[in-house]
């Protein structure tokens, strides 16, 4: 069982460069060509937020057209730059029409050997993550329903401290989420938002973030760190379950990048 996770495309549909530097539609074309050419297709693809740079309607159409014909199911959760209403309207089949925790885009998918859980940590107008009590209760019930197989829990914002001060904003409801995951050591928390791979022990299990499809945050472990990015190789995570071991592999996508930076996140829109 192989689950491929991508994140943080920051697509713009207005022809402008994201953060005055990044041609995100070109990044999408590179990633889409790579995914279409895979010799071995994953069992599913999960996109963990910031699909669009400002919830732009055309950006979601671009993404759906680029990846929608892949012969695998695709699931997506919103990030702080996304709009739930437009994701539901345009990304048919990628997000549920109804949610057990409205208005959040949450759902659970059984893939046979692995359970996938999609969480919506976005709060409109906020850059940081949120886990309300209702979502924590639903997640707890979902995970406790079956402890016989691993679960991959996907959401945009990591609830743990990364050491990059500008990105380590308070996560509302982190204690609720920690309590739920502490009771489910068979679950792995898989996040986006950080634009780089990070692994840590959290809530009695493994938690991680994935690289971005478009740009990577500069590794600056200072109180001001995390507010700039570099043009490095795009990447993704491949979660592989062989029946006894769940491994998460960091993978790169060949791309023509100039490795320039650091660049500021200029003109950023939540």
């Amino acid at each position: 069982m192989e689950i491929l996770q991508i994140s943080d495309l920051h697509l713009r549909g207005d022809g402008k460069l994201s953060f005055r530097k990044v041609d995100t539609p070109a990044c999408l074309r590179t990633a889409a060509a790579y995914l279409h050419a895979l010799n071995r297709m994953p069992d599913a693809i999960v996109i963990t937020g910031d699909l669009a740079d400002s919830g732009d309607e055309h950006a979601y159409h671009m993404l759906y057209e680029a990846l929608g014909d892949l012969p695998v199911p695709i699931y997506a959760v919103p990030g702080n730059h996304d709009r739930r209403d437009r994701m539901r309207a345009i990304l048919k089949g990628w997000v549920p029409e109804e949610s057990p925790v409205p208005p959040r885009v949450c759902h659970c998918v059984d893939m046979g050997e692995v359970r996938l859980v999609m969480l919506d940590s976005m709060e409109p107008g906020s850059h940081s993550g949120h886990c309300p009590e209702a979502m924590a209760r639903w997640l707890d019930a979902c995970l406790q329903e079956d402890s016989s197989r691993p679960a991959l829990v996907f959401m945009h914002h990591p609830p743990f401290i990364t050491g990059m001060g500008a990105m380590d904003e308070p996560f509302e409801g982190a204690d609720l989420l920690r309590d739920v995951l502490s009771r489910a050591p068979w679950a792995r928390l898989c996040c986006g938002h950080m634009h780089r791979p990070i692994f840590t022990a959290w809530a009695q299990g493994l938690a991680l973030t994935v690289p971005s499809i478009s740009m990577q945050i500069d590794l600056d472990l200072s109180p001001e760190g995390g507010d700039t990015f570099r043009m490095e190789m795009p990447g993704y995570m491949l979660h592989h379950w062989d029946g006894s071991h769940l491994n998460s592999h960091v993978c790169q996508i060949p791309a023509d990048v100039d490795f320039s930076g650091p660049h500021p996140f200029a003109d950023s829109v939540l």
Side-chain angles (χ1 to χ4, degrees), residues 148-201:
S148 65
R149 51 185 168 162
L152 293 170
V153 179
F154 296 97
M155 69 179 185
H156 182 65
H157 300 86
F160 55 85
I161 298 298
T162 68
M164 291 183 281
M167 294 293 285
D168 283 334
E169 301 168 303
F171 187 108
E172 183 180 3
D175 290 342
L176 293 171
L177 185 60
R178 182 188 289 108
D179 290 344
V180 169
L181 291 176
S182 294
R183 293 193 293 272
W186 55 89
R188 180 166 299 178
L189 182 61
C190 307
C191 305
H193 194 53
M194 298 306 299
H195 292 239
R196 62 180 308 107
I198 304 171
F199 296 82
T200 193

Side-chain angles (χ1 to χ4, degrees), residues 59-268:
Y60 295 122
H61 284 294
M62 291 167 54
L63 180 58
Y64 200 66
E65 292 169 4
L67 302 183
D69 63 342
L70 285 168
V72 298
I74 298 177
Y75 306 106
V77 297
N80 45 282
H81 288 260
D82 290 309
R83 282 186 50 167
R84 294 186 186 110
D85 56 343
R86 291 178 175 173
M87 289 179 65
R88 282 196 172 101
I90 298 167
L91 304 179
K92 298 295 186 182
W94 296 14
V95 297
E97 293 184 5
E98 297 182 0
S99 169
V101 194
R104 297 182 181 274
V105 179
C106 299
H107 61 129
C108 180
V109 178
D110 286 323
M111 297 293 296
E113 300 175 23
V114 177
R115 172 166 283 192
L116 310 183
V117 184
M118 267 59 75
L119 293 183
D120 180 351
S121 58
M122 186 268 284
E123 189 69 32
S126 172
H127 184 266
S128 59
H130 301 258
C131 179
E133 186 175 352
M135 190 167 76
R137 288 198 306 268
W138 172 79
L139 174 63
D140 191 34
C142 184
L143 293 176
Q144 295 301 323
E145 185 179 53
D146 187 355
S147 62
S148 65
R149 51 185 168 162
L152 293 170
V153 179
F154 296 97
M155 69 179 185
H156 182 65
H157 300 86
F160 55 85
I161 298 298
T162 68
M164 291 183 281
M167 294 293 285
D168 283 334
E169 301 168 303
F171 187 108
E172 183 180 3
D175 290 342
L176 293 171
L177 185 60
R178 182 188 289 108
D179 290 344
V180 169
L181 291 176
S182 294
R183 293 193 293 272
W186 55 89
R188 180 166 299 178
L189 182 61
C190 307
C191 305
H193 194 53
M194 298 306 299
H195 292 239
R196 62 180 308 107
I198 304 171
F199 296 82
T200 193
W202 194 78
Q204 310 299 318
L206 179 65
L208 56 87
T209 68
V210 302
S212 166
I213 289 296
S214 296
M215 78 291 287
Q216 312 307 320
I217 284 184
D218 188 36
L219 182 56
D220 179 356
L221 299 174
S222 72
E224 299 79 26
D227 202 30
T228 57
F229 65 90
R230 293 182 179 273
M231 296 308 300
E232 300 175 357
M233 299 297 282
Y236 64 95
M237 200 79 75
L238 189 67
H239 307 287
H240 175 235
W241 170 249
D242 67 359
S244 58
H245 298 89
L246 178 61
N247 294 316
S248 295
H249 300 268
V250 182
C251 309
Q252 291 186 320
I253 297 174
D256 183 15
V257 294
D258 59 16
F259 293 93
S260 65
H263 305 286
F265 280 104
D267 297 335
S268 178

